[in-house]
Amino acid sequence: MTETTLSGGCQCGDIRYTITGQPLMAAICHCTMCRRAHAAPAVAWAMFAESQVAFDNEPKAFGSSADGQRRFCPNCGTQICFTASYIPGLIDISIGSLDDAEAIPPEFHYWYSKHLSWAEFADGLPRHAEFPPLAEDEA
Ligand SMILES: [Zn+2]
Ligand SMILES: [Zn+2]
């Protein structure tokens, strides 16, 4: 398999990153925390091993819960990534911050139990009420 490289960053360009290889998963989150952090009805995430992602500039971290940290550009506010103690060694990158957001199509929805009634996606992707266990993807 050929090694792929993706790039992305914030709106002002202060934060840039490159990603090597494929995501472990990609999905759209409807949880209330993502909604508030991104001020958006839902947020598309691609999960990678932290070792796959290299930042030119470290984004600023905010502890959005006891377990989770969200990182963003302190200059323009673009939300870049999410890490949490319950997913050690892994990092979610906001697909919307990729230079080519078409490069990683989401595979399912999660926290769909929280989704907004007016934000209905016209896709046939699986919708999980909460966050699915990793093994559920193989079922
Ligand atoms: Zn910025
Ligand atoms: Zn979320």
Side-chain angles (χ1 to χ4, degrees):
M1 197 186 271
T2 53
E3 197 94 294
T4 58
T5 304
L6 294 166
S7 60
C10 67
Q11 198 160 31
C12 78
D14 277 4
I15 305 292
R16 295 289 302 164
Y17 61 79
T18 54
I19 301 169
T20 306
Q22 298 296 322
L24 303 168
M25 68 168 75
I28 297 170
C29 184
H30 296 262
C31 85
T32 58
M33 302 286 277
C34 288
R35 181 185 308 155
R36 182 62 66 98
H38 294 245
V43 178
W45 294 109
M47 183 182 278
F48 298 89
E50 281 183 316
S51 58
Q52 289 178 268
V53 183
F55 286 100
D56 293 351
N57 250 334
E58 271 299 311
K60 186 175 169 63
F62 169 69
S64 56
S65 69
D67 301 316
Q69 286 209 317
R70 295 171 188 273
R71 290 186 169 78
F72 58 96
C73 173
N75 186 46
C76 72
T78 299
Q79 291 283 335
I80 302 290
C81 61
F82 176 78
T83 54
S85 57
Y86 52 82
I87 48 170
L90 302 176
I91 182 170
D92 271 330
I93 296 285
S94 57
I95 292 178
S97 70
L98 290 170
D99 294 335
D100 179 13
E102 294 278 8
I104 305 179
E107 299 157 335
F108 59 91
H109 297 262
Y110 64 105
W111 281 112
Y112 201 70
S113 57
K114 306 289 188 189
H115 97 281
L116 294 172
S117 60
W118 48 263
E120 203 63 69
F121 284 71
D123 61 44
L125 298 175
R127 282 143 164 79
H128 300 279
E130 298 186 4
F131 188 74
L134 298 183
E136 197 182 323
D137 286 342
E138 290 149 28

